[in-house]
Short mmCIF file of all heavy atoms in Angstrom, two decimals:
data_model
loop_
_atom_site.label_atom_id
_atom_site.label_comp_id
_atom_site.label_asym_id
_atom_site.label_seq_id
_atom_site.Cartn_x
_atom_site.Cartn_y
_atom_site.Cartn_z
N GLU A 52 105.03 87.44 106.45
CA GLU A 52 104.55 88.03 107.76
C GLU A 52 103.80 89.29 107.62
O GLU A 52 102.93 89.58 108.40
CB GLU A 52 105.81 88.30 108.60
CG GLU A 52 106.82 89.35 108.13
CD GLU A 52 107.84 88.70 107.26
OE1 GLU A 52 107.73 87.54 106.80
OE2 GLU A 52 108.97 89.32 107.04
N ILE A 53 103.98 90.11 106.52
CA ILE A 53 103.22 91.31 106.35
C ILE A 53 101.76 90.96 106.07
O ILE A 53 100.87 91.58 106.65
CB ILE A 53 103.82 92.16 105.22
CG1 ILE A 53 105.25 92.65 105.62
CG2 ILE A 53 102.97 93.37 104.86
CD1 ILE A 53 105.94 93.35 104.45
N VAL A 54 101.57 89.98 105.22
CA VAL A 54 100.21 89.61 104.89
C VAL A 54 99.55 88.95 106.11
O VAL A 54 98.39 89.21 106.37
CB VAL A 54 100.20 88.62 103.65
CG1 VAL A 54 98.81 88.13 103.39
CG2 VAL A 54 100.76 89.35 102.46
N ARG A 55 100.32 88.16 106.81
CA ARG A 55 99.77 87.46 108.00
C ARG A 55 99.30 88.58 108.96
O ARG A 55 98.25 88.43 109.62
CB ARG A 55 100.78 86.53 108.68
CG ARG A 55 101.14 85.38 107.79
CD ARG A 55 101.78 84.21 108.55
NE ARG A 55 102.86 84.58 109.40
CZ ARG A 55 104.14 84.61 108.98
NH1 ARG A 55 104.42 84.31 107.68
NH2 ARG A 55 105.11 84.94 109.82
N CYS A 56 100.08 89.59 109.25
CA CYS A 56 99.76 90.63 110.17
C CYS A 56 98.44 91.35 109.68
O CYS A 56 97.64 91.76 110.51
CB CYS A 56 100.93 91.59 110.29
SG CYS A 56 102.18 90.97 111.44
N CYS A 57 98.33 91.52 108.43
CA CYS A 57 97.02 92.09 107.87
C CYS A 57 95.89 91.26 108.28
O CYS A 57 94.76 91.68 108.65
CB CYS A 57 97.12 92.33 106.38
SG CYS A 57 98.18 93.61 105.77
N ALA A 58 96.01 89.88 108.11
CA ALA A 58 94.98 88.93 108.56
C ALA A 58 94.72 89.06 110.02
O ALA A 58 93.53 88.96 110.43
CB ALA A 58 95.38 87.56 108.13
N TYR A 59 95.81 89.19 110.85
CA TYR A 59 95.56 89.31 112.31
C TYR A 59 94.77 90.56 112.64
O TYR A 59 93.92 90.51 113.44
CB TYR A 59 96.92 89.33 112.97
CG TYR A 59 97.80 88.06 112.68
CD1 TYR A 59 99.19 88.19 112.76
CD2 TYR A 59 97.26 86.87 112.37
CE1 TYR A 59 99.95 87.08 112.49
CE2 TYR A 59 98.00 85.77 112.13
CZ TYR A 59 99.41 85.88 112.20
OH TYR A 59 100.19 84.81 111.94
N GLU A 60 95.16 91.63 112.00
CA GLU A 60 94.44 92.93 112.27
C GLU A 60 92.96 92.82 111.91
O GLU A 60 92.08 93.23 112.62
CB GLU A 60 95.10 94.03 111.42
CG GLU A 60 94.49 95.40 111.66
CD GLU A 60 95.09 96.54 110.87
OE1 GLU A 60 96.16 96.22 110.24
OE2 GLU A 60 94.64 97.66 110.88
N LEU A 61 92.70 92.23 110.74
CA LEU A 61 91.30 92.01 110.35
C LEU A 61 90.55 91.10 111.38
O LEU A 61 89.44 91.42 111.69
CB LEU A 61 91.26 91.34 108.96
CG LEU A 61 89.86 90.89 108.44
CD1 LEU A 61 88.96 92.05 108.31
CD2 LEU A 61 90.06 90.14 107.12
N ALA A 62 91.23 90.08 111.77
CA ALA A 62 90.58 89.16 112.74
C ALA A 62 90.25 89.90 114.03
O ALA A 62 89.17 89.67 114.68
CB ALA A 62 91.47 87.99 113.01
N VAL A 63 91.13 90.68 114.51
CA VAL A 63 90.90 91.48 115.80
C VAL A 63 89.73 92.37 115.63
O VAL A 63 88.85 92.50 116.42
CB VAL A 63 92.14 92.23 116.23
CG1 VAL A 63 91.87 93.19 117.37
CG2 VAL A 63 93.28 91.24 116.68
N VAL A 64 89.64 93.13 114.45
CA VAL A 64 88.53 94.07 114.21
C VAL A 64 87.24 93.22 114.23
O VAL A 64 86.18 93.68 114.81
CB VAL A 64 88.73 94.76 112.88
CG1 VAL A 64 87.46 95.53 112.44
CG2 VAL A 64 89.93 95.64 112.97
N LEU A 65 87.18 92.13 113.59
CA LEU A 65 85.99 91.29 113.54
C LEU A 65 85.65 90.66 114.90
O LEU A 65 84.45 90.71 115.24
CB LEU A 65 86.14 90.14 112.49
CG LEU A 65 86.21 90.56 111.02
CD1 LEU A 65 86.72 89.48 110.17
CD2 LEU A 65 84.90 91.13 110.52
N ALA A 66 86.65 90.22 115.61
CA ALA A 66 86.45 89.58 116.88
C ALA A 66 85.84 90.52 117.91
O ALA A 66 85.10 90.11 118.75
CB ALA A 66 87.78 89.00 117.41
N LYS A 67 86.15 91.82 117.80
CA LYS A 67 85.62 92.89 118.74
C LYS A 67 84.04 93.00 118.57
O LYS A 67 83.43 93.36 119.54
CB LYS A 67 86.34 94.16 118.56
CG LYS A 67 87.77 94.20 119.07
CD LYS A 67 88.50 95.46 118.59
CE LYS A 67 87.75 96.74 119.15
NZ LYS A 67 88.48 97.95 118.70
N GLU A 68 83.58 92.61 117.37
CA GLU A 68 82.18 92.95 117.16
C GLU A 68 81.30 92.04 118.05
O GLU A 68 80.26 92.53 118.54
CB GLU A 68 81.87 92.61 115.68
CG GLU A 68 82.45 93.65 114.70
CD GLU A 68 82.03 95.07 114.96
OE1 GLU A 68 80.77 95.18 115.12
OE2 GLU A 68 82.82 95.88 114.92
N SER A 69 81.57 90.79 118.22
CA SER A 69 80.76 89.82 118.94
C SER A 69 81.51 88.57 119.32
O SER A 69 82.47 88.26 118.65
CB SER A 69 79.45 89.50 118.20
OG SER A 69 79.80 88.69 117.04
N ALA A 70 80.96 87.85 120.27
CA ALA A 70 81.55 86.54 120.66
C ALA A 70 81.44 85.56 119.45
O ALA A 70 82.34 84.79 119.30
CB ALA A 70 80.90 86.03 121.90
N ALA A 71 80.33 85.69 118.70
CA ALA A 71 80.13 84.78 117.60
C ALA A 71 81.26 84.99 116.51
O ALA A 71 81.85 84.14 115.93
CB ALA A 71 78.76 84.94 117.00
N SER A 72 81.50 86.32 116.26
CA SER A 72 82.51 86.69 115.24
C SER A 72 83.91 86.23 115.72
O SER A 72 84.70 85.71 114.94
CB SER A 72 82.57 88.16 115.02
OG SER A 72 81.36 88.58 114.30
N LEU A 73 84.14 86.38 117.02
CA LEU A 73 85.48 85.96 117.55
C LEU A 73 85.61 84.44 117.33
O LEU A 73 86.67 83.95 116.96
CB LEU A 73 85.58 86.28 119.06
CG LEU A 73 86.94 86.04 119.72
CD1 LEU A 73 87.18 86.99 120.87
CD2 LEU A 73 87.05 84.63 120.20
N SER A 74 84.53 83.65 117.58
CA SER A 74 84.61 82.23 117.42
C SER A 74 84.93 81.87 116.00
O SER A 74 85.72 80.92 115.72
CB SER A 74 83.31 81.62 117.81
OG SER A 74 83.28 80.23 117.66
N ALA A 75 84.37 82.66 115.01
CA ALA A 75 84.62 82.34 113.64
C ALA A 75 86.09 82.54 113.18
O ALA A 75 86.50 81.96 112.21
CB ALA A 75 83.68 83.12 112.78
N VAL A 76 86.68 83.58 113.83
CA VAL A 76 88.08 83.92 113.41
C VAL A 76 89.06 83.47 114.46
O VAL A 76 90.26 83.85 114.45
CB VAL A 76 88.24 85.49 113.21
CG1 VAL A 76 87.31 85.92 112.05
CG2 VAL A 76 87.90 86.21 114.44
N LYS A 77 88.67 82.57 115.37
CA LYS A 77 89.57 82.10 116.42
C LYS A 77 90.84 81.49 115.86
O LYS A 77 91.88 81.67 116.48
CB LYS A 77 88.81 81.14 117.33
CG LYS A 77 89.62 80.72 118.61
CD LYS A 77 88.68 80.11 119.62
CE LYS A 77 88.06 78.83 119.16
NZ LYS A 77 89.06 77.75 118.98
N PHE A 78 90.67 80.77 114.71
CA PHE A 78 91.85 80.15 114.19
C PHE A 78 92.92 81.13 113.73
O PHE A 78 94.10 80.82 113.76
CB PHE A 78 91.46 79.21 113.00
CG PHE A 78 90.94 79.90 111.77
CD1 PHE A 78 91.87 80.17 110.75
CD2 PHE A 78 89.62 80.35 111.66
CE1 PHE A 78 91.40 80.78 109.57
CE2 PHE A 78 89.27 81.05 110.52
CZ PHE A 78 90.09 81.20 109.49
#
């Protein structure tokens, strides 16, 4: 769960950049 939360934090940072980035990390 610690590693997963790091992945979630990274995904949120990337998703904020653009709709295209959000789509790429939606999974």
Side-chain angles (χ1 to χ4, degrees):
E52 63 271 15
I53 295 176
V54 176
R55 296 202 304 274
C56 282
C57 290
Y59 302 151
E60 182 180 354
L61 172 61
V63 169
V64 171
L65 293 168
K67 286 171 59 179
E68 291 297 316
S69 67
S72 293
L73 187 152
S74 180
V76 298
K77 188 164 64 68
F78 69 98

